[in-house]
Amino acid sequence: MRGFGSRFRRRGVSQSSKGGSARLPQRPIGRYVTALVLIGVLAVLSTMVTYGALRSQEQDGTVLEYGLRQGYLAARVAELSEEATTGLSAPLRSELAATTDEIKRVHEAFGSGDEEMGIPPLRGTGIQGNLDDAGDVLNGFLVKVDRVQHAVDADRAVSPFTADVVAQSAADYGIAMQTLATSYLRTSGEQVAAVEQMEYVLLLTTLILLVLEGLFLFRPAVRKLRESWVESSEAHRSEREIDQQRLNYLARYDSLTGLINRTLFTDRLDGAVARARRDGSVVALLFLDLDGFKEVNDRLGHPVGDALLRQAAERLVACVRESDTVARLGGDEFTVILEGGHRVEDAGQVATKILQALAVPYRVGAEEIVITSSMGIASYPLDGETSEDLLKGADIAMYSAKDAGRNTYQFFTSELRERTTQRLTLLNSLRKALETEEGLCLHYQPKVDHSQRMVIGVEALMRWRHPEFGDVPPEKFIRLAEQTDLIVTLGQWVLDKACLQMREWLDAGLPPMRMSVNLSSRQFRAGNLVETVVASLALARLNPRFLDVELTEGALLDDLGETRRALERLRELGVTVSIDDFGTGYSSLGYITQLPIDTLKIDRSFITDGLKNRDGIAVSSAIIGLAKNLRLDVIAEGVDKEEQLEFLEALGCTRIQGFLISRPIPGEDIPAFVSQYVSDSVLSVQ
């Protein structure tokens, strides 16, 4: 009993003495130290778990950022591929190569990880399948981009078909990377949820330990620790919700204009058609495209073009009701869904309002830009039963509006559908004919100097015999080629064949004369016209002095500075330049003194009808006098009758071209024509 009582008294003394100073409950030192160690271990574990969660969150943001960035880079490559259809400058070539390399480098980092970029290795994780799918899409995309790169490196224009394929492949890769990022965030979210569970377990363990060791001593620390964990968890949850909202927004809205994108537009149009089918109302779909937007981008740069698109989107929204839908499908293409109407004609009033609003000059920085739009209108149920039918019909009508002169709108009709079908059939046939050369040939119309009785040259004119439609008029298929940039390929083919034909005639002993080839304004805009001409001359081993290029006034004035530089380079080579259809294009004649021109061709309208009256004769006389004063040659085309020739000779023009001399004839008939014309000239002199 004494031993037990003495121990009790000693413990009481110790307790009272310490309680007066530190106010801590007395406990064995071993248990106290153990509690501190356990708390320290829990703190370390909590820190490690928190760091891991924060690290995972940081990696989530990095994967999301680079995943979306890959889609943007692929889209940029697609834009450069589209621009390569008309040729790329050196900086854009470098950008194409650099952007492609960046896509490859970042995609490799997704597989193996990159500490510098902050991308974790995804190979071997739960989203290996998504990574492999994205890699397969990327490989296909890079193969198509390599074709574009090879064409660019060889200074060849990329075909619009190839550019469209690259654009589709770029969109597929962007979707694949978005899917990859979404899958990674979902997987990472599951991991973070597991980490949260661990955090709560550690928290619960710590709380139990602290309660057992003395609530009053550790209560403030427990409160702070709890608040810290709750705050950290809420922050993680908030960031994940923001990331998910960002993904949802990018999947449904256009990041540039804030309008809905193609995905949400399709849903809206399907819903509108379903409601109209139920209510018996009318749905009108307006499909519009900005006229000449590509030239704005090329001339002023993409930032200005983006600002213009944002302003155009704001004007569109202001022109319609809140219940209507405005969407941007991509590039400079917009759509408007008008619901609840009962007359198709009402859509025309909205279209007029939109055209007027979009035609008001835009102000972007110091630039004032005037740009119009062309619009097509299709309606349910008149023009189609599905959203796909309406979109296709409105698209067809929009192109009809462009053909009608732009800055207007057209309603879709069955005649338009048939015309578009024929147009696409003819276009595909022409593209195939250029690949196989089946049905294509050149005819040549002679040019003569009647006073000297000699053939001075021929003009190469393209002919096409379609296997189904027969002989297609040149003005029909050449205009079609002009509208689709196929004219660049067509022009290259004509140049090659014409130069080879001239080489063949010269080798056969034909007298020297010039081969005239017509050029298009799109060939100038392609940026490699001079290289194309040089390549054709080299292929035929033809001296440039035997080649003459003919351009219309419109082709000259599309870009006067670039045109002048190209023509000066051609003149330096020895190629001559003629202005075709002179006097029909522009009233200003100042450009004549600014460009290296050798010959003016009087348009056939002044010959066919103009020589019948005093005013027509005065115009022809003025052109002839202008040419002589500027020391230029002059030739009259469309001379079909003797009296026309007599008038021209009286005015001082002896160089002529027309049916009076010869119709366009095949190349094999030219030697016989030249021989016969020279023989007739000799007999006439005798």
Side-chain angles (χ1 to χ4, degrees):
M1 291 293 292
R2 183 170 28 183
F4 180 81
S6 63
R7 285 200 305 273
F8 180 79
R9 286 192 295 271
R10 286 197 296 272
R11 178 179 297 180
V13 171
S14 174
Q15 186 178 23
S16 61
S17 64
K18 290 187 178 182
S21 60
R23 299 181 182 272
L24 293 175
Q26 181 66 25
R27 71 198 67 192
I29 189 65
R31 194 177 72 178
Y32 184 77
V33 172
T34 300
L36 290 178
V37 170
L38 288 175
I39 292 173
V41 170
L42 290 173
V44 171
L45 290 176
S46 298
T47 302
M48 294 175 62
V49 170
T50 302
Y51 174 79
L54 292 175
R55 177 63 175 170
S56 175
Q57 189 65 41
E58 181 181 353
Q59 290 176 346
D60 291 354
T62 302
V63 170
L64 175 63
E65 177 186 354
Y66 277 96
L68 297 177
R69 182 170 175 267
Q70 285 290 88
Y72 168 78
L73 292 176
R76 179 56 182 157
V77 170
E79 290 179 3
L80 293 172
S81 300
E82 181 181 356
E83 294 184 15
T85 59
T86 57
L88 285 181
S89 62
L92 292 182
R93 294 185 183 184
S94 300
E95 182 182 353
L96 175 61
T99 305
T100 305
D101 292 341
E102 178 66 6
I103 292 174
K104 296 178 185 175
R105 183 178 73 85
V106 174
H107 194 88
E108 291 174 357
F110 272 103
S112 58
D114 191 309
E115 292 185 2
E116 182 178 349
M117 298 168 65
I119 298 177
L122 303 184
R123 188 173 290 113
T125 65
I127 60 169
Q128 175 72 48
N130 299 107
L131 181 62
D132 293 339
D133 292 341
D136 293 339
V137 176
L138 175 61
N139 290 334
F141 173 63
L142 293 176
V143 168
K144 298 174 180 65
V145 174
D146 283 341
R147 297 176 185 168
V148 175
Q149 189 68 58
H150 290 322
V152 170
D153 291 341
D155 290 332
R156 290 186 288 101
V158 175
S159 70
F161 175 77
T162 300
D164 291 343
V165 171
V166 171
Q168 182 60 51
S169 185
D172 293 341
Y173 180 62
I175 293 172
M177 289 307 297
Q178 180 177 328
T179 303
L180 174 67
T182 303
S183 300
Y184 178 84
L185 289 179
R186 183 171 58 251
T187 303
S188 178
E190 295 171 356
Q191 295 174 351
V192 172
V195 170
E196 285 184 346
Q197 296 299 323
M198 183 180 297
E199 290 175 349
Y200 285 120
V201 169
L202 292 173
L203 177 61
L204 180 60
T205 304
T206 303
L207 286 174
I208 293 174
L209 179 61
L210 293 175
V211 168
L212 292 176
E213 288 302 311
L215 287 175
F216 98 94
L217 178 64
F218 296 106
R219 187 179 301 154
V222 171
R223 186 182 299 114
K224 291 181 180 179
L225 183 60
R226 174 65 179 176
E227 291 174 355
S228 175
W229 281 107
V230 170
E231 183 179 350
S232 177
S233 299
E234 289 296 332
H236 294 165
R237 186 178 297 107
S238 177
E239 289 183 11
R240 287 195 302 273
E241 290 175 355
I242 291 174
D243 288 341
Q244 188 60 47
Q245 291 172 1
R246 187 183 300 134
L247 279 175
N248 291 337
Y249 179 84
L250 292 175
R252 299 163 68 85
Y253 289 87
D254 174 49
S255 59
L256 178 64
T257 63
L259 300 176
I260 66 173
N261 63 12
R262 183 182 291 270
T263 301
L264 187 53
F265 158 76
T266 302
D267 293 342
R268 294 276 182 89
L269 185 56
D270 287 338
V273 170
R275 287 187 291 273
R277 185 180 294 115
R278 182 179 62 248
D279 302 338
S281 59
V282 173
V283 175
L285 176 63
L286 281 58
F287 190 109
L288 63 98
D289 178 276
L290 299 182
D291 301 326
F293 178 74
K294 184 178 184 300
E295 284 71 18
V296 173
N297 265 345
D298 293 342
R299 183 168 58 89
L300 301 177
H302 289 279
V304 173
D306 290 346
L308 190 149
L309 288 176
R310 285 191 289 268
Q311 292 185 31
E314 293 172 357
R315 296 184 186 185
L316 277 173
V317 172
C319 288
V320 299
R321 304 166 299 180
E322 291 186 3
S323 59
D324 298 325
T325 298
V326 181
R328 180 189 178 212
L329 301 190
D332 59 331
E333 294 180 340
F334 297 87
T335 56
V336 179
I337 304 173
L338 304 177
E339 293 189 66
H342 296 283
R343 297 190 313 161
V344 177
E345 293 79 5
D346 295 338
Q349 299 178 4
V350 179
T352 300
K353 182 179 179 181
I354 291 175
L355 291 176
Q356 292 173 348
L358 294 181
V360 175
Y362 296 80
R363 172 66 64 177
V364 181
E367 297 288 342
E368 183 176 88
I369 305 170
V370 177
I371 195 168
T372 59
S373 62
S374 298
M375 188 184 312
I377 305 174
S379 62
Y380 169 88
L382 181 62
D383 300 322
E385 293 289 332
T386 66
S387 58
E388 291 82 3
D389 293 338
L390 295 182
L391 186 59
K392 186 181 298 184
D395 189 22
I396 291 173
M398 184 271 290
Y399 278 105
S400 175
K402 283 190 177 293
D403 292 340
R406 303 186 177 188
N407 194 26
T408 186
Y409 67 87
Q410 292 284 330
F411 283 97
F412 174 76
T413 62
S414 57
E415 290 80 9
L416 273 181
R417 185 190 300 277
E418 182 178 355
R419 190 191 316 163
T420 301
T421 301
Q422 293 178 351
R423 178 179 179 273
L424 290 176
T425 301
L426 200 64
L427 179 62
N428 291 332
S429 298
L430 180 57
R431 185 174 285 110
K432 182 178 179 181
L434 277 172
E435 294 174 355
T436 63
E437 298 191 6
E438 182 179 356
L440 294 178
C441 66
L442 291 181
H443 282 193
Y444 304 89
Q445 187 171 31
K447 303 177 183 179
V448 302
D449 188 326
H450 190 262
S451 65
Q452 299 184 24
R453 307 296 293 178
M454 62 180 294
V455 180
I456 58 175
V458 295
E459 180 179 358
L461 301 170
M462 194 169 187
R463 297 293 183 263
W464 179 27
R465 171 161 292 182
H466 190 279
E468 179 181 352
F469 305 134
D471 290 331
V472 182
E475 60 273 12
K476 184 175 183 179
F477 70 82
I478 289 178
R479 182 173 63 251
L480 179 62
E482 286 271 10
Q483 295 171 349
T484 59
D485 275 338
L486 193 61
I487 192 66
V488 176
T489 305
L490 196 66
Q492 177 72 67
W493 186 87
V494 172
L495 266 171
D496 288 344
K497 294 299 180 183
C499 290
L500 288 170
Q501 180 64 81
M502 179 56 74
R503 177 75 269 166
E504 181 181 334
W505 288 337
L506 293 174
D507 291 342
L510 217 63
M513 56 183 177
R514 283 198 174 92
M515 172 70 73
S516 293
V517 176
N518 293 282
L519 297 182
S520 162
S521 59
R522 288 183 179 266
Q523 290 176 270
F524 279 90
R525 289 200 297 269
N528 61 341
L529 174 63
V530 177
E531 290 74 14
T532 297
V533 172
V534 170
S536 297
L537 291 170
L539 176 67
R541 298 176 291 106
L542 186 66
N543 191 308
R545 67 187 180 90
F546 295 113
L547 179 64
D548 175 75
V549 293
E550 293 190 7
L551 308 91
T552 63
E553 293 176 89
L556 283 170
L557 298 181
D558 273 351
D559 187 341
L560 191 59
E562 184 64 30
T563 301
R564 179 171 57 248
R565 287 188 290 273
L567 294 182
E568 286 174 349
R569 292 178 61 191
L570 290 176
R571 280 284 299 276
E572 291 174 359
L573 293 173
V575 177
T576 58
V577 179
S578 298
I579 306 302
D580 198 10
D581 302 334
F582 182 75
T584 61
Y586 294 82
S587 58
S588 174
L589 302 179
Y591 73 89
I592 297 179
T593 61
Q594 302 178 37
L595 296 171
I597 299 171
D598 298 283
T599 303
L600 299 181
K601 295 187 69 175
I602 304 176
D603 184 68
R604 65 175 55 250
S605 62
F606 296 117
I607 307 303
T608 304
D609 301 320
L611 296 180
K612 296 179 180 179
N613 57 68
R614 181 178 302 174
D615 293 338
I617 295 174
V619 171
S620 298
S621 177
I623 295 175
I624 295 169
L626 176 66
K628 290 183 177 180
N629 289 331
L630 294 177
R631 297 184 178 85
L632 301 177
D633 291 330
V634 61
I635 183 171
E637 56 182 347
V639 180
D640 302 333
K641 301 177 181 179
E642 286 286 351
E643 54 267 28
Q644 295 171 345
L645 174 59
E646 293 175 1
F647 269 118
L648 289 168
E649 287 184 323
L651 295 175
C653 177
T654 60
R655 297 191 170 194
I656 61 173
Q657 177 184 6
F659 291 171
L660 179 63
I661 303 302
S662 173
R663 292 178 177 272
I665 57 178
E668 57 268 21
D669 295 342
I670 287 294
F673 169 83
V674 173
S675 177
Q676 183 64 40
Y677 188 80
V678 172
S679 298
D680 291 345
S681 300
V682 172
L683 292 175
S684 176
V685 171
Q686 291 177 349

